[in-house]
Amino acid sequence: MAAFAWFESRRKRNGKIPLLDIDLFKDRNLRVGTIIMILCYLIMGGGLFVVSLYLQSVLELNAFDTGLATLPLTVGLLIFSMLAPALTEKISHKKLMAIGSIIAIIGCLILSHQFRLDTTPLDILPGMFILGAGFGFIMALIVDIALANIPDESQNNASGITSIGESLGESMGTAIIGIILVLGIMGGVSDAVDMYIPEHSGDEAFESDVYDYFQNMDSVDTVKENSTVENILDTITRESMGFIMIVTAILMAIIFVLIVRLKDMKI
């Protein structure tokens, strides 16, 4: 990306037409707005991947039921993204987006306590809907405010930048959130061993064996025959998914800070 930016800047200095005008990034709203878009799509892409993984691997739902369980997020996003443009007549873009980020943080905090072995799709419905509602405010308005100060002749170029942000964030989401999930699982294994098998506390080899056991098990139902094993798996599930949601809330807090840095549009 750095090499591409240098090449395009060099073309413009030499009087040639660049594929991408790097000077557009001098505009704060476009620069910050693109970062916000990357983070939003990173959270959505990675978050949906992890939640779907939990629903299918832990709760053992089929693909159709998994889709139904994650539908509240889409419904919340759809409803509030339709409401946002109408609300801009009374509330500025910047304030609505800031409100959206706060709503999304609340959704993440609610979800951080919902993922267990006995969780049902109805348990995660409120948190998923609230998270989607927060994203609805941001997604509906971010492109408008990012392109607010861009001249008409550069609008196509700038909209291409925002599209790149969407694709980049979505593609990065699964990988980055996946890494965070693994870290959360390892932390959950360590805490579960300390709590339920204290004689092996600090034994990294034993914790690795526990991790491998749960990775290779055929069905979650097989662990319910042993209460200790069930408690360990419940702790791992709760802490790893809770960790994901806390990290997501932190990313949403970063988005809130970035929104504050935007120059607001006139109502």
Side-chain angles (χ1 to χ4, degrees), residues 46-245:
L48 281 175
F49 165 74
V50 170
V51 172
S52 297
L53 185 65
Y54 161 81
L55 293 171
Q56 294 187 12
S57 299
V58 178
L59 300 189
E60 299 182 334
L61 301 183
N62 58 36
F64 180 77
D65 290 337
T66 297
L68 288 179
T70 57
L71 187 61
L73 185 145
T74 306
V75 173
L77 193 153
L78 177 64
I79 292 173
F80 282 82
S81 63
M82 293 174 64
L83 288 174
L87 291 175
T88 55
E89 296 180 2
K90 297 180 179 179
I91 307 174
S92 69
H93 284 62
K94 186 174 174 178
K95 287 182 180 178
L96 276 176
M97 290 172 62
I99 292 170
S101 65
I102 293 172
I103 292 173
I105 290 172
I106 294 171
C108 291
L109 295 178
I110 292 173
L111 287 171
S112 67
H113 300 285
Q114 298 301 319
F115 297 100
R116 305 178 67 100
L117 289 185
D118 57 356
T119 295
T120 67
L122 288 177
D123 293 329
I124 65 173
L125 189 153
M128 294 291 283
F129 180 81
I130 292 172
L131 179 59
F135 272 117
F137 277 143
I138 298 173
M139 295 297 198
L141 304 176
I142 183 59
V143 174
D144 283 351
I145 201 167
L147 304 183
N149 304 316
I150 303 298
D152 291 341
E153 63 273 13
S154 300
Q155 286 284 330
N156 289 342
N157 220 333
S159 63
I161 293 173
T162 60
S163 297
I164 291 171
E166 294 176 14
S167 301
L168 185 61
E170 199 165 7
S171 60
M172 290 170 60
T174 303
I176 293 176
I177 299 295
I179 292 171
I180 295 171
L181 176 62
V182 172
L183 293 174
I185 290 173
M186 294 304 295
V189 169
S190 180
D191 289 344
V193 170
D194 291 344
M195 188 179 301
Y196 298 106
I197 319 176
E199 62 270 23
H200 290 284
S201 181
D203 187 341
E204 294 184 4
F206 182 80
E207 291 177 4
S208 179
D209 290 340
V210 173
Y211 178 81
D212 291 338
Y213 171 77
F214 288 118
Q215 281 281 88
N216 297 321
M217 67 181 183
D218 296 327
S219 172
V220 174
D221 289 334
T222 60
V223 309
K224 295 184 178 179
E225 300 172 1
N226 186 310
S227 60
T228 299
V229 176
E230 182 180 0
N231 288 333
I232 290 174
L233 181 57
D234 187 65
T235 300
I236 294 170
T237 302
R238 184 180 69 250
E239 294 201 6
S240 58
M241 292 300 295
F243 181 59
I244 288 287
M245 290 302 133

Side-chain angles (χ1 to χ4, degrees), residues 29-40 165 254-255 258:
N29 275 21
L30 180 62
R31 185 173 65 250
V32 175
T34 302
I35 296 173
I36 292 173
M37 195 161 295
I38 290 173
L39 290 176
C40 283
I254 293 172
I255 289 174
L258 291 171

